[in-house]
Amino acid sequence: DAGITQSPRYKITETGRQVTLMCHQTWSHSYMFWYRQDLGHGLRLIYYSAAADITDKGEVPDGYVVSRSKTENFPLTLESATRSQTSVYFCASSDQGSITEAFFGQGTRLTVV
Amino acid sequence: GNSVTQMEGPVTLSEEAFLTINCTYTATGYPSLFWYVQYPGEGLQLLLKATKADDKGSNKGFEATYRKETTSFHLEKGSVQVSDSAVYFCALSEDNRLAFGKGNQVVVIP
């Protein structure tokens, strides 16, 4: 299916565990982004990538790791999950960064217990 | 850095009422401005955008005008429907990424 897909949609994990959220897009967009959405904070940028093998920190990168070995995939890893990382995570992609429309996945709801 | 401020709190209104959601921004240079909408259980989708001062973005009956003199990009709709119930985010472009406001939940009552 064309578009941008995130998996899993829902995840419960324990404190201290490593967890990876997947993001896949079929448009060959150059840019990909990870945001987290929290009540009272809106969307905050965690990491973004301008192309394969190029990543950069956003507003709240601590505790997260990303990689982009292929243009279409942009996984987000929580190395040692904490309760403060309980959130809804959105992946997005765009053709030319913030100049054009960003397309969002449906989100992953992560709960850290 | 650049930032976006949206009015606090949810917005509840009756069907066919006039909707305004305020958005102001702080920026160096001339960013593009966006409104995104998030329907329940879904990701965000672009509602409208404006790329330069005095541009008006419009879509699905919604409008917003890029006002450089007041650094604002307020969203308006003349007659809302129940289907417009969603969370609305103002955003601006900054170094190839988007900076979002905190969002406003809009609830339209039949």
Side-chain angles (χ1 to χ4, degrees):
Chain A
D1 289 339
I4 182 164
T5 54
Q6 294 182 234
S7 60
R9 289 294 310 278
Y10 303 91
K11 176 74 177 178
I12 300 174
T13 192
E14 294 179 340
T15 301
R17 289 195 180 270
Q18 182 181 82
V19 60
T20 296
L21 309 184
M22 305 301 293
C23 180
H24 175 78
Q25 53 106 353
T26 60
W27 296 300
S28 298
H29 283 167
S30 299
Y31 286 84
M32 296 188 75
F33 309 87
W34 275 107
Y35 289 90
R36 60 178 289 175
Q37 183 179 23
D38 303 288
L39 200 62
H41 292 279
L43 270 80
R44 293 180 290 176
L45 183 65
I46 305 170
Y47 270 96
Y48 67 106
S49 168
D53 298 321
I54 300 175
T55 62
D56 211 342
K57 295 179 181 179
E59 186 183 351
V60 289
D62 292 345
Y64 302 96
V65 174
V66 293
S67 62
R68 192 153 177 223
S69 58
K70 294 183 177 181
T71 299
E72 61 266 30
N73 296 324
F74 191 40
L76 175 74
T77 298
L78 287 67
E79 293 187 297
S80 178
T82 65
R83 289 199 178 90
S84 65
Q85 292 177 309
T86 293
S87 185
V88 180
Y89 292 84
F90 286 100
C91 179
S93 71
S94 71
D95 192 27
Q96 298 179 53
S98 61
I99 300 174
T100 57
E101 179 177 0
F103 295 85
F104 282 77
Q106 288 192 296
T108 295
R109 183 175 294 275
L110 176 69
T111 302
V112 183
V113 298
Chain B
N2 296 349
S3 66
V4 170
T5 301
Q6 289 183 237
M7 53 193 277
E8 293 287 333
V11 178
T12 302
L13 59 169
S14 299
E15 203 166 21
E16 299 183 2
F18 184 87
L19 170 69
T20 298
I21 305 176
N22 289 342
C23 171
T24 58
Y25 67 90
T26 303
T28 55
Y30 305 97
S32 295
L33 300 173
F34 306 82
W35 277 100
Y36 277 79
V37 59
Q38 183 182 28
Y39 298 105
E42 299 184 8
L44 280 72
Q45 53 186 275
L46 180 66
L47 180 59
L48 54 83
K49 71 175 183 181
T51 57
K52 61 183 186 297
D54 300 324
D55 266 3
K56 178 187 283 189
S58 61
N59 186 24
K60 298 182 181 180
F62 290 88
E63 292 183 340
T65 301
Y66 190 147
R67 302 280 188 203
K68 185 167 172 285
E69 63 275 12
T70 55
T71 61
S72 65
F73 192 55
H74 303 323
L75 182 69
E76 297 181 336
K77 185 173 185 182
S79 177
V80 293
Q81 306 300 313
V82 172
S83 57
D84 293 324
S85 297
V87 181
Y88 292 82
F89 292 91
C90 187
L92 60 73
S93 60
E94 175 185 40
D95 297 330
N96 290 316
R97 50 199 169 142
L98 290 170
F100 286 88
K102 292 184 179 181
N104 287 103
Q105 175 147 24
V106 172
V107 177
V108 180
I109 300 170

